[in-house]
Amino acid sequence: MARHHHRAAALNLNLLDNFFSSNNKNQKQQSWPKVEVPSDFIVPEPRPLTITESTDLTGFVTASTGLALRLATGAFVLGWKVDTFFAPEDDGNYYLKLGPIRIRDSSSVLDQAVRRPEETIVLYGIESSPRCKRVREMMNLLDITYECRPCFGENNNDQAVAAAVPYIDDPNIDRTISGDDKIIEHLLEQYGPPTSSYDRKALWPITFQEFSLATSQLTAMLRGNPGATQQPNSRPDNANMKPLELWAYECSPFVQPVKEKLASLGLPHRIVSCSRGSKNRDRMVEKTGRFQVPYLVDSNTGIDMFEGAEIVEYLEAVYTVKELICLRVP
């Protein structure tokens, strides 16, 4: 039985290696699919922390429940600390304004990491998979920007791929790794701070596997297991698109619907981690003049925009086939 298990795992890894090689080849192509924005599309005005008419209230409640179940894991970077309650208003950096208080925060340990990823790590995974969620949360905790390539489990080949994810390609050390525990330890070892600089107990919502998997599975069930299958009317060439860029963090109820839509459409996307204490918050303020997530940058169309519900509508309008053609076989 053990021999059969190892053999199946090896077959899954070989299949995923082939799958990865094929996708990597597509991503390196010189020409990209043509994408058009609807003529009546208007970029929405950003309205931070606001539930708008387009917001799915039931979805917002289930996403917020998932945030609570996962104890807001990924909302803060490892070693999060408050630097000051009275940050300067005009220095061009991020701060959280609460009345007269302006909170500036950072990490007390991430700057001690010997190494940080210079090239983007690619994560193959399923949005609703609890094991993939553990990896995404660790990416946020370590403030790592990474690329997601959605996988599904709809046919026999896809099921074999699904059994082998999460799976990463780390070009920084020219290595591929499969399995959530192995990936998490790899990220901590390669890109985390020295173990002497923090208490490993701080990682328990992720590293306590039974709790992590159970609460992540419940969260996915509340959300209807999003991204487990590909949306039927998604464009067949979506996997060949330039990766979209999403500034976000895993547990935000405003971000969740956008991540799920990107996954269900099969769109490769780059996650710029923006947990509390992340340096990417300063980068966003420098880039846009404000901080708000989700923030989407679509290099396929030249559109960049805030507002989660409107981003979902935009993705639906741009990356789906408007008419499904059914062929009848006599």
Side-chain angles (χ1 to χ4, degrees), residues 147-167:
E147 183 178 322
C148 281
R149 306 253 182 104
C151 300
F152 306 99
E154 297 169 284
N155 56 47
N156 290 336
N157 286 341
D158 288 342
Q159 288 170 15
V161 170
V165 297
Y167 175 99

Side-chain angles (χ1 to χ4, degrees), residues 186-254:
H186 165 77
L187 295 174
L188 285 168
E189 180 182 337
Q190 292 292 326
Y191 309 116
T195 54
S196 59
S197 67
Y198 68 97
D199 187 348
R200 192 173 169 94
K201 293 187 183 72
L203 305 175
W204 80 264
I206 297 176
T207 56
F208 181 14
Q209 191 181 82
E210 289 79 3
F211 172 81
S212 178
L213 293 179
T215 52
S216 295
Q217 184 65 65
L218 185 54
T219 297
M221 290 172 64
L222 284 171
R223 299 289 297 164
N225 292 314
T229 59
Q230 188 161 9
Q231 188 171 314
N233 67 335
S234 59
R235 283 181 53 148
D237 54 359
N238 276 351
N240 299 330
M241 297 289 176
K242 295 178 186 177
L244 287 74
E245 185 173 86
L246 182 66
W247 297 61
Y249 56 95
E250 179 70 19
C251 65
S252 167
F254 293 98

Side-chain angles (χ1 to χ4, degrees), residues 41-75:
F41 174 75
I42 300 174
V43 175
E45 289 294 323
R47 289 163 288 180
L49 299 176
T50 303
I51 296 177
T52 66
E53 293 181 359
S54 301
T55 303
D56 176 2
L57 291 179
T58 301
F60 183 80
V61 170
T62 58
S64 299
T65 304
L67 180 150
L69 285 170
R70 289 297 300 132
L71 305 179
T73 304

